[in-house]
Amino acid sequence: MSWDIFVLMLSGSVRDPIFWIVGAIFGWDIERPLEKSLGIWLIAGLIWGGIRAAIYLNLGENLGVVECGTIMILCVGLMCILAISIRFVRVIYHR
């Protein structure tokens, strides 16, 4: 996979409203244990990545296993980064 394709996937993922809405909702709860939150973020990222990969495939893109896996890993990473950032800010603000 070329660097250009990766940057295109990354920019498309960051512009996706599902990312911001779901990440904010799941990152907002600071009373939930961190281990449980991490599991929720991983599952949410996998589902979101699966949806993004399915959309690309339905639009006629020729994606292999590596590209679909990259999309899903990218989505999981972005979801965890956003949710942990929101949680961190909420913990600091809550003090």
Side-chain angles (χ1 to χ4, degrees), residues 61-89:
E61 293 293 326
N62 188 11
L63 301 176
V65 175
V66 173
E67 289 85 4
C68 288
T70 303
I71 291 171
M72 294 181 77
I73 290 170
L74 179 70
C75 289
V76 167
L78 286 172
M79 186 65 67
C80 289
I81 289 169
L82 176 65
I84 196 75
S85 299
I86 291 172
R87 183 182 175 110
F88 179 72
V89 169

Side-chain angles (χ1 to χ4, degrees), residues 4-94:
D4 295 334
I5 301 279
F6 181 75
V7 170
L8 186 65
M9 281 194 253
L10 180 64
S11 66
S13 297
V14 171
R15 289 189 313 237
D16 193 348
I18 294 173
F19 166 61
W20 295 102
I21 294 167
V22 172
I25 289 171
F26 289 139
W28 195 258
D29 188 9
I30 58 175
E31 295 177 7
R32 183 184 308 121
L34 185 60
E35 295 82 17
K36 188 174 182 179
S37 293
L38 184 61
I40 291 171
W41 303 336
L42 291 173
I43 292 169
L46 283 173
I47 292 170
W48 176 49
I51 292 169
R52 287 192 57 80
I55 289 170
Y56 282 130
L57 290 171
N58 284 332
L59 291 175
E61 293 293 326
N62 188 11
L63 301 176
V65 175
V66 173
E67 289 85 4
C68 288
T70 303
I71 291 171
M72 294 181 77
I73 290 170
L74 179 70
C75 289
V76 167
L78 286 172
M79 186 65 67
C80 289
I81 289 169
L82 176 65
I84 196 75
S85 299
I86 291 172
R87 183 182 175 110
F88 179 72
V89 169
R90 288 258 307 150
V91 167
I92 290 175
Y93 181 75
H94 191 312

